[in-house]
Amino acid sequence: MRQLPGPDLIDVDVFLSIVQHYFVRNRIMLADDNLMNCFLIVMGMIVGYLFILIPILVYYAIQHMRSPQLISLPEPDWDDYLTGKCRLESDWAGINQFELVGIYRLQQNFILVWQNSDIAAYFQITLSPYGRFHNFTTLFKEDYSLVTANDRESLVFPAPPKRFVQSFGIEKIDALNEKHQSSVADLTRVKHLELPEQLPGFEETYLSSIRQQHEYVRSFPFYPILGIWWYHVGRRMKFNQPINLQEAVLEN
């Protein structure tokens, strides 16, 4: 049996076992500390995202709505979109009697718009850094309107009075249009809405709707904090849900 020299002889195997146990225990404690630190970091990031970042993003999004600028692209630049990036939408619009209104830039987004005056509707595609999205907008008399989109962001903020907004996870334009026209028929039936005799200009209507959204959201006390619910819960609850006709009759 091996022994270490000294006044009190110690078994070498026992000594090595003690040393090994010491380092293993310290390693476990260090691992536990690292795990706790990681947990605290993750929780801090979640709390920061929910209660700091989202309210800040909501606040600045609303501030940008105060004075929106819609920049019209010159016609020589249209072909790149109509025959290239948005050929599918352009062909669909032509087949369905929608006439091109123009191509615009709003901040980082590019917007292509067609109109059908007979049904008081606009067909719109938005090219953003986050993807491409479609929507249909029908205007009624007395400032009523219906928007049918296919992105969740359209549902983040509560809709102002007389504006109905719905959104579905539908990529096909025909299917989205069918959803839209079905809701147009429902609103016409239950609220007795009528189409305008003349379709208002797109630019004026679009910018006015943004400013109206800005004023309506700002009417809510602590709206940046409410944005936490709107963004994480509200828009998900409303996605793929048609407008509630009973609420439409009672609230507007």
Side-chain angles (χ1 to χ4, degrees):
M1 179 178 293
R2 295 173 297 165
Q3 295 178 330
L4 294 176
D8 296 319
L9 298 179
I10 302 176
D11 188 290
V12 174
D13 293 332
V14 174
F15 175 77
L16 293 177
S17 177
I18 294 173
V19 172
Q20 184 179 13
H21 175 74
Y22 172 79
F23 281 107
V24 169
R25 185 182 64 178
N26 284 351
R27 185 177 299 175
I28 292 175
M29 293 176 61
L30 182 61
D32 290 340
D33 290 341
N34 290 337
L35 182 61
M36 179 57 68
N37 290 337
C38 290
F39 175 77
L40 293 176
I41 291 174
V42 171
M43 290 302 298
M45 293 174 63
I46 293 175
V47 171
Y49 175 70
L50 288 176
F51 297 101
I52 299 177
L53 181 60
I54 292 300
I56 290 174
L57 293 177
V58 167
Y59 174 80
Y60 279 106
I62 293 301
Q63 293 306 307
H64 285 152
M65 292 181 179
R66 175 183 296 177
S67 54
Q69 294 183 347
L70 199 61
I71 301 174
S72 178
L73 267 64
E75 290 192 24
D77 296 340
W78 289 8
D79 286 343
D80 184 39
Y81 293 90
L82 299 177
T83 62
K85 300 176 182 177
C86 302
R87 177 66 179 271
L88 176 66
E89 290 81 3
S90 179
D91 290 345
W92 185 93
I95 294 173
N96 291 272
Q97 290 78 51
F98 279 81
E99 300 178 353
L100 182 65
V101 175
I103 302 178
Y104 305 89
R105 182 167 64 86
L106 179 68
Q107 298 178 14
Q108 296 179 313
N109 301 327
F110 290 90
I111 303 172
L112 285 74
V113 184
W114 293 264
Q115 69 178 22
N116 186 326
S117 299
D118 293 336
I119 57 175
Y122 291 109
F123 168 52
Q124 176 181 321
I125 174 174
T126 301
L127 303 177
S128 82
Y130 311 103
R132 56 194 297 146
F133 309 104
H134 302 120
N135 75 58
F136 289 92
T137 301
T138 293
L139 304 180
F140 300 94
K141 290 183 178 180
E142 300 180 7
D143 295 327
Y144 283 95
S145 64
L146 168 67
V147 177
T148 302
N150 67 348
D151 65 302
R152 286 186 173 88
E153 279 60 40
S154 299
L155 303 171
V156 171
F157 300 119
K162 296 187 176 184
R163 184 186 304 172
F164 304 99
V165 181
Q166 57 186 2
S167 188
F168 306 91
I170 298 175
E171 295 296 331
K172 293 185 178 180
I173 304 174
D174 280 322
L176 188 66
N177 186 41
E178 289 177 5
K179 288 282 190 181
H180 182 73
Q181 295 303 327
S182 176
S183 293
V184 169
D186 289 338
L187 285 174
T188 302
R189 173 174 53 84
V190 302
K191 289 192 66 64
H192 309 291
L193 298 181
E194 298 179 359
L195 299 179
E197 297 176 358
Q198 184 176 1
L199 186 63
F202 171 77
E203 294 185 32
E204 177 185 353
T205 302
Y206 187 73
L207 293 177
S208 176
S209 69
I210 294 177
R211 288 190 289 265
Q212 185 182 17
Q213 181 73 82
H214 167 265
E215 294 299 328
Y216 184 64
V217 171
R218 284 179 57 86
S219 69
F220 288 85
F222 309 108
Y223 70 87
I225 303 301
L226 292 176
I228 298 172
W229 173 268
W230 294 339
Y231 185 83
H232 290 290
V233 181
R235 65 175 183 147
R236 289 179 168 83
M237 292 177 60
K238 294 181 287 186
F239 193 58
N240 283 325
Q241 299 295 324
I243 58 174
N244 188 314
L245 294 178
Q246 184 175 1
E247 290 183 0
V249 172
L250 296 176
E251 296 182 5
N252 291 281

